[in-house]
Amino acid sequence: DRPLALIAGPCQLENLDHARMLAHRIAEAADAAGLPWIFKASYDKANRSSLSGRRGLGIDEGLGILARIREEFGVPVLTDVHAPDQCARAAEAVDVLQIPAFLSRQTDLLLAAGETGAAINVKKGQFLAPWDMANVADKIASTGNARILLCERGASFGYNMLVSDMRSLPIMARTGWPVVFDATHSVQLPGGQGGSSGGQREFVEPLARAAVAVGCAAVFIETHEAPDTAPSDGPNMVPIDRLPALLDGLAALDRLTKGRG
Amino acid sequence: DRPLALIAGPCQLENLDHARMLAHRIAEAADAAGLPWIFKASYDKANRSSLSGRRGLGIDEGLGILARIREEFGVPVLTDVHAPDQCARAAEAVDVLQIPAFLSRQTDLLLAAGETGAAINVKKGQFLAPWDMANVADKIASTGNARILLCERGASFGYNMLVSDMRSLPIMARTGWPVVFDATHSVQLPGGQGGSSGGQREFVEPLARAAVAVGCAAVFIETHEAPDTAPSDGPNMVPIDRLPALLDGLAALDRLTKGRG
Amino acid sequence: DRPLALIAGPCQLENLDHARMLAHRIAEAADAAGLPWIFKASYDKANRSSLSGRRGLGIDEGLGILARIREEFGVPVLTDVHAPDQCARAAEAVDVLQIPAFLSRQTDLLLAAGETGAAINVKKGQFLAPWDMANVADKIASTGNARILLCERGASFGYNMLVSDMRSLPIMARTGWPVVFDATHSVQLPGGQGGSSGGQREFVEPLARAAVAVGCAAVFIETHEAPDTAPSDGPNMVPIDRLPALLDGLAALDRLTKGRG
Amino acid sequence: DRPLALIAGPCQLENLDHARMLAHRIAEAADAAGLPWIFKASYDKANRSSLSGRRGLGIDEGLGILARIREEFGVPVLTDVHAPDQCARAAEAVDVLQIPAFLSRQTDLLLAAGETGAAINVKKGQFLAPWDMANVADKIASTGNARILLCERGASFGYNMLVSDMRSLPIMARTGWPVVFDATHSVQLPGGQGGSSGGQREFVEPLARAAVAVGCAAVFIETHEAPDTAPSDGPNMVPIDRLPALLDGLAALDRLTKGRG
């Protein structure tokens, strides 16, 4: 079993300096914990709860910043795509294309992403069972792409709430693809603030610990220097100054779980 | 309160003669029951459970058939769109654009659809609460479009199952927009057959009756002459020869419910 | 199909005069609507959310009042039992013993109730599937008792919320036993007010209408002259002065549904 | 933080020799892992899915065996009680009284259990939110009893399935009472085999690991030498020969989690 990887970054790109600052601090924390990592940020928030939610920098400026981060930090970068025609462009700037959970059944998007040859991280739809992801992975694999990640990010549980079913990690792992646990969106309260989603940042650590103890391949954690004023997902992002301790704990758990401790 | 309307047709277009045959038989049943109706069919099934599911005729041939049905039968027609760039084209051929449930939060699609000026039927995401649909409608209404329909089609309830919460009808009606009950997809068992979704056709009638007694504006029912061999959604489509009795019952319930009986 | 029956009364007994007053008003409303009815009230609320919730008058005084109502009004009466040793005593004073939802799997209680020979109304546990109720009914029927009612009162849907799955009515009806829809507890928000359960009185009517249009045998509705100051279940009880119009609507729906309209 | 404790034993008592054999093997495994432990077994299964499920030895013989195990092994013992009048008797033979999940809101049972002065392990109802357990604990604490354990055993998630929400562990811990994770019943598929409940033994280990990494006080694991022929809960019991490795893993995780590793 390979050691735990980290996917981390802000929810959405704000500007180059901000991305640099966060990349720098994440790199320090990940290096200290001994975790290989991937920088994550979105150039467009295409499915905000309401029209008043900030969308982001757009694809041109966003991909430019991501390419710079990749080059300056020597770190792989990940971004999410929302339409088939974005895939090829995004794949020039980033290493991993991410399929948003709501779009996890959109065949054309999955195929276009797969065809780029980039690694693909597919979020499991909140409306899907973990075993349904085998069909999703097969759509991507049909393009010849064999770099697929399946990502748990919570299942619908009544209204405006998600639940993280830890059984989904071993169930999705049966496909043979590495499984990622998204500890940020799993603690979202979708639509829970009327015009935007709420969140429960205090549960990022317990859920991430649970997932690592079960044996996932990677954790996904969004972070920000001031989550409460961030343009999106503030309620569930981890403050960057708490990241080092969180990662240290996860890395130790992972070593123990995978017999390298 | 206006009388109940019907949205009906096959899940996906097969060919012109097939569409004509179904339109003819639906027209007979709807006329006999005194229900105004809209012909529904899809030109592309963009989110099949697995890659092996049939996609459909494609946008060119599909819109051509829909335009013919509209002309020959003098009936409004509805189809679903999956990307912003399909909206304007589809709006030339059809009267109502439908937003699929999985895409009900995709801002660009909602705006592109709204901007066509066509009526828009938005399916409520299986992952949304009924009150979340106010934000969805507001996105469309921001384009100046005031012909919006909100459609209940079941909420995620554990894995591979939906539940129809009849409270959602009055809750969505608080927005002021007419509310549609989709009796076909509400009885879907998503992913329940491994490579495709299962369904429980036997519950179409009880759920449709429940929704009409609560006071919805329209019901959505997919129908086919041989559902078990249809290319998609067979398990939850109503055989066309059972449609007349079903509609008679719904029409009588609607007259009673709306005080016109 | 027999006409709709009504089970109605206050959540808990307060005193004889209060029970008389409500029985009188329910009788007027039910008679006007042409509905046979059963008076319902509890002598003990054995599972309040918190210790501070009022328990009720106790079994001696409670059964005494119920026996008086039965005699004075010539109406069958129903009460709920919470332990095997209460069944025989309660069956002397009432016609229908009710098994609370939380206790719907307690074998000894089901057997003791069945052995009295009284009619038994079993609430479906919030944690049960409708098909699970066949085993519950079989436990009662094993005593030779063939007067069993199965009652839908909502299924757990996330935390602090229930959902009414209208499919449960035809599913439970497959057992051959009459099916009751409890429109009062189905709109409960369990534990939703911290120390007590909340409720959504505004959905009693739509859900009751839905259930009657599906074809249930009886509806269960709690009512009070001043729900907001009632000792329990206030948020989901219907004010008694709104009962006549509610019942008229349900009776008309039932006649139509059962082909007697 | 005190080290992890183990609650373990067969689902139901079969006879003294069988209980001895299992106690012996659990003691070996727990001692090897350095975990203090409590022997658990039921004398009555009072809420079987169907009447044909085996009930158990009964209270007299059952408590006799439990008292012998306590004496012979010098280990605390736990059993579940189902009615108020069983509490005092059971408390003479055992150290911990357990309140079944379905009965977690029954006030009289909680009070009678509390009044014995024994430690009380309350299973969280499948229909309760974790924060609802504060009211449950308060009912017990009102008797002056300050030895309360709160136990997660899964929440209803659609029909015939439970989900383990790991957030419930820190939420229940806010009450100040120790929190137990029941890894056996959390993997139950309630009613999932028609006349009895199914289960997913393969998820006991991942869920127990998740709970320990989150920081629970104790884990509850049912075990048997031949689960598939056990009289109850076979599908979710762990074979006794796999217990040593499971406990070793949990103990190491607990030491790491609580900073004693």
Side-chain angles (χ1 to χ4, degrees), chain A residues 46-51 55 102-103 105-108 127 129-132 135 139 142 156 159-160 165 194-195, chain B residues 46-51 55 102-103 105-108 127 129-132 135 139 142 156 159-160 165 194-195:
Chain A
N47 58 30
R48 298 300 304 257
S49 294
S50 75
L51 202 53
R55 288 287 296 259
F102 292 158
L103 303 181
R105 283 269 298 266
Q106 302 303 312
T107 305
D108 290 340
F127 44 84
W131 43 86
D132 295 336
N135 283 324
K139 290 183 183 178
S142 76
S156 290
Y159 292 137
N160 299 311
D165 182 353
Chain B
N47 58 31
R48 297 300 304 257
S49 295
S50 74
L51 202 53
R55 286 287 295 259
F102 292 158
L103 304 182
R105 284 268 298 265
Q106 302 302 313
T107 304
D108 290 339
F127 45 83
W131 42 86
D132 295 336
N135 284 323
K139 289 184 184 178
S142 76
S156 290
Y159 292 137
N160 300 311
D165 183 353

Side-chain angles (χ1 to χ4, degrees), chain C residues 70-94:
Chain C
R70 170 160 70 168
E71 187 187 317
E72 292 183 16
F73 288 83
V75 68
V77 297
L78 171 154
T79 201
D80 43 333
V81 288
H82 316 90
D85 62 9
Q86 298 174 356
C87 293
R89 285 178 68 189
E92 290 174 23
V94 306

